[in-house]
Amino acid sequence: MKYTGTVYTFGDNVNTDEIIPARYLNTTDPTVLGRYCMEDIRPGFGTRAEKGSIIVAGDNFGCGSSREHAPLSLKYAGIACVVAVSFARIFFRNAINIGLPIIESRDISSKAKEGDTLTVDLDTGRAVVGGEEIAIAPFPPFMQKIVEEGGWLPYLLKTTAH
Amino acid sequence: MTLTEKILAKKAGVKSLTPQEFIEIEPDLALSNDITAPITIDEFEKAGGKNVRCPERVFMIPDHFTPNKDILSAEHYRKLKDFAAKHAGVRFFEQGEVGVEHALLPEMGAIRPGMVVIGADSHTCTYGALGAFSTGVGSTDVAGFLLTGKAWLKVPPTVKAVFTGVMGEWMSGKDLILLLIGKIGVSGAQYRAIEFSGPVIDALSVEGRMTMANMAIEAGGKNGVFVPDTKVAEYLKGRTKEKGDYLAPDADAVYERTVTIDVTGLTPVVACPHLPENVKPARDIMNVRIDQVVIGSCTNGRIEDMRVAAKILKGRKVDPNLRCLVLPATPKIYRQALDEGLFQVFLDAHAVISPPTCGPCLGGHMGILAHGERCVSTTNRNFVGRMGHRESEIYLASPAVAAASAVAGRITDPSELMK
Ligand code: SF4
């Protein structure tokens, strides 16, 4: 899994009400959720970010509610993956469960700037931004297995079929 | 082992567990609501789900946008209702029975000490007040539970939060948890369990403990837990016949960190916009004028909260330039408040009484904020745009501070009003 895209930067504690405001939670249509992504903190983001873009953020990304609409909204706003110093835990598991790649990296977060081109290669554990190469930590094996199966449900169905 | 490790080890059927281990377990109960269950149902059906594995352990609670606020919400409501009808045993609650999920489940005796509960709602952590391990997950996690009865968890390290000293008159569980979040920050317990203890906690009611466990997530916590004691046993009497598992942490339990707060001499606090960690004494910001007060939610919509609010509002009127909304969290609390004469007090004070619903807490309906408006709310989140316009502001506080502020028209320490 390798992603190259334009960087959009966000700060610390980006919460799920900011990623997708609750007033849009009366739908589960992912294209609608994508359109209103980050609406209250960066109006128009959901329709402006080009497909394959990468969000680079600070600490505690995705804090707040358990709404799976949040990673879905990012995915359908065209975000290929999210890099942050750390993620809030429910957001973390939701992203894994729905197949939105997320990477914890303090180094990338401190180096990537708005508009940069960032490449992250999960297979080799390397990222490149501004000509600089940065090592990224691999997922724990259990998580890797879930991601390899394409998410929690496929993994579960495969491992508990008998 | 800490209390969280002990509950999880028992459920996983192993002698011991250490933090960061991944486990696959079979939770005792899984809940979802009118926002999260529609995705759960879609995922369940997309994965070819035919029968729900343990329907009697599944609760689908339509509490967020109910009574349905628009056509789309009504369609979601319908989806839950149809699913429950199709899968006998799955619990769905019609209007008149439904309340805010985290007030409703403990009230009906569905939660007992030692249980492992997952919920597609972040405030599922509330049930730690009863000595259960309970944590918020996503809709897909609940779909996995419907399919197989299983869930995955990573064993969290535990932060111990000890409260000592003497509580001042208008201090409450809400002030204690806000003080903790103010001290450790919104990511201070990220991925961690918070085990609450100390003499102040021992003396606190089960309801006050629910308020605290509820906001463990606002410190980034996976769960918040209290050692179940005689108060919990007393609370459960008449609610359930089943005996809980009253576990306690080992004397040699390993805590990642211990945070101690001495409450002696402290006064009620408020969390200022736009993060729950921006905590200040209410008396330091008494010049902040407000447009709305909300008293309710899974944090502070229980009968104890209604009583405190009524105590302050009795014989007074809310400021004529402000709306004060009271939302008893469940039909039972609603009736109890009515029977105790609290509605009389609220109506005389010109407060508005709403049916049980999440409503304004998540900016759903029943009290949305306009551009530039400020609200004192007993809810749990004050994020940008949470209750309405992105340029509105939310100040989180206890029912006592909220009611006093409603009367004064500005943020107020109850002791100032009641002296
Ligand atoms: S009252 Fe608020 S925080 Fe509690 S479940 Fe409802 S929306 Fe969530």
Side-chain angles (χ1 to χ4, degrees), chain B residues 179-199:
Chain B
L179 283 165
L180 179 70
I181 298 166
K183 185 159 177 162
I184 68 175
V186 293
S187 60
Q190 204 178 36
Y191 300 106
R192 282 148 178 82
I194 306 176
E195 194 176 296
F196 297 94
S197 63

Side-chain angles (χ1 to χ4, degrees), chain B residues 20-352:
Chain B
Q20 313 304 351
E21 269 183 76
F22 284 94
I23 51 171
E24 266 184 66
I25 50 164
E26 298 186 1
D28 298 293
L29 194 153
L31 67 137
S32 50
N33 57 47
D34 50 325
I35 286 179
T36 57
I39 297 186
T40 298
I41 293 169
D42 287 347
E43 290 302 315
F44 173 80
E45 285 170 355
K46 262 197 281 173
K50 296 264 172 325
N51 301 311
V52 173
R53 183 62 176 261
C54 341
E56 69 292 345
R57 296 188 190 179
V58 178
F59 288 72
M60 291 187 170
I61 307 175
D63 57 353
H64 279 60
F65 291 153
T66 49
N68 299 321
K69 72 160 181 145
D70 55 19
I71 295 170
L72 289 170
S73 324
E75 296 294 343
H76 280 177
Y77 185 88
R78 192 72 227 175
K79 189 165 184 159
L80 271 62
K81 188 169 177 169
D82 290 348
F83 186 83
K86 190 167 156 198
H87 299 276
V90 170
R91 295 293 305 271
F92 171 85
F93 300 81
E94 200 32 282
Q95 302 300 298
E97 282 198 307
V98 79
V100 177
E101 48 199 347
H102 310 306
L104 188 67
L105 289 182
E107 176 189 276
M108 62 188 285
I111 311 292
R112 296 173 293 278
M115 283 176 76
V116 172
V117 180
I118 58 166
D121 189 276
S122 58
H123 293 102
T124 301
C125 51
T126 309
Y127 318 133
L130 298 173
F133 172 88
S134 64
T135 190
V137 296
S139 298
T140 296
D141 288 297
V142 175
F145 180 81
L146 300 189
L147 287 166
T148 64
K150 289 187 183 171
W152 67 268
L153 290 173
K154 189 161 111 178
V155 179
T158 300
V159 174
K160 190 172 177 174
V162 186
F163 291 85
T164 62
V166 185
M167 286 262 267
E169 191 191 357
W170 294 102
M171 291 287 283
S172 67
K174 183 62 161 282
D175 299 290
L176 299 180
I177 188 65
L178 288 178
L179 283 165
L180 179 70
I181 298 166
K183 185 159 177 162
I184 68 175
V186 293
S187 60
Q190 204 178 36
Y191 300 106
R192 282 148 178 82
I194 306 176
E195 194 176 296
F196 297 94
S197 63
V200 173
I201 298 302
D202 296 341
L204 198 65
S205 68
V206 170
E207 297 198 329
R209 294 175 195 176
M210 284 196 230
T211 301
M212 294 184 72
N214 175 271
M215 289 189 74
I217 176 81
E218 266 63 62
K222 180 168 202 148
N223 66 310
V225 74
F226 292 70
V227 180
D229 58 5
T230 50
K231 284 195 171 160
V232 170
E234 192 60 37
Y235 177 86
L236 290 174
K237 217 180 270 172
R239 298 182 197 269
T240 174
K241 291 207 174 57
E242 287 185 54
K243 274 185 59 204
D245 204 353
Y246 287 72
L247 300 171
D250 293 324
D252 62 352
V254 179
Y255 296 93
E256 187 190 66
R257 175 183 175 200
T258 298
V259 181
T260 305
I261 295 180
D262 182 350
V263 301
T264 310
L266 299 182
T267 58
V269 293
V270 171
C272 301
H274 292 285
L275 281 179
E277 69 186 21
N278 298 336
V279 175
K280 295 189 181 135
R283 58 176 49 175
D284 288 0
I285 46 169
M286 301 234 306
N287 54 355
V288 178
R289 295 214 58 94
I290 52 174
D291 306 281
Q292 178 169 301
V293 165
V294 169
I295 301 170
S297 85
C298 58
T299 320
N300 282 117
R302 284 171 287 267
I303 192 66
E304 213 175 61
D305 305 312
M306 299 293 125
R307 289 183 190 136
V308 172
K311 191 169 164 185
I312 287 174
L313 292 175
K314 194 173 169 82
R316 298 187 168 83
K317 297 233 179 304
V318 305
D319 184 280
N321 286 316
L322 158 160
R323 11 176 228 284
C324 176
L325 315 176
V326 180
L327 300 93
T330 68
K332 199 166 170 182
I333 297 165
Y334 195 93
R335 174 175 292 277
Q336 214 174 339
L338 178 69
D339 291 348
E340 291 181 14
L342 308 186
F343 279 11
Q344 206 75 44
V345 174
F346 296 148
L347 293 172
D348 287 346
H350 297 171
V352 181

Side-chain angles (χ1 to χ4, degrees), chain A:
Chain A
M1 291 183 284
K2 185 172 170 179
Y3 309 93
T4 298
T6 307
V7 168
Y8 286 88
T9 56
F10 288 84
D12 291 338
N13 302 313
V14 173
N15 64 70
T16 50
D17 279 285
E18 291 169 344
I19 297 171
I20 182 72
R23 58 184 174 275
Y24 301 117
L25 300 186
N26 55 4
T27 182
T28 54
D29 181 342
T31 51
V32 176
L33 295 173
R35 194 179 309 148
Y36 298 113
C37 187
M38 302 289 190
E39 164 139 303
D40 283 352
I41 51 171
R42 209 172 287 188
F45 179 80
T47 49
R48 207 168 49 230
E50 54 285 8
K51 207 168 157 40
S53 299
I54 300 178
I55 283 181
V56 177
D59 202 21
N60 206 24
F61 187 89
C63 63
S65 91
S66 65
R67 60 189 72 156
E68 219 160 277
H69 313 66
L72 282 173
S73 161
L74 289 165
K75 199 169 166 176
Y76 283 83
I79 301 303
C81 76
V82 183
V83 182
V85 174
S86 71
F87 291 91
R89 59 159 285 278
I90 306 179
F91 182 90
F92 188 95
R93 67 185 296 141
N94 283 345
I96 302 264
N97 284 348
I98 70 144
L100 172 73
I102 51 176
I103 295 127
E104 286 192 334
S105 169
R106 184 172 291 279
D107 291 342
I108 296 178
S109 293
S110 60
K111 282 175 186 141
K113 287 183 285 304
E114 182 89 9
D116 280 354
T117 299
L118 170 67
T119 298
V120 284
D121 188 334
L122 291 177
D123 301 324
T124 59
R126 282 183 331 190
V128 180
V129 67
E132 192 174 343
E133 209 176 287
I134 300 165
I136 48 180
F139 273 172
F142 178 82
M143 296 272 176
Q144 259 171 29
K145 264 188 265 163
I146 294 178
V147 175
E148 274 163 24
E149 292 300 337
W152 172 235
L153 291 188
Y155 167 86
L156 203 67
L157 290 174
K158 188 163 174 185
T159 53
T160 52
H162 32 87

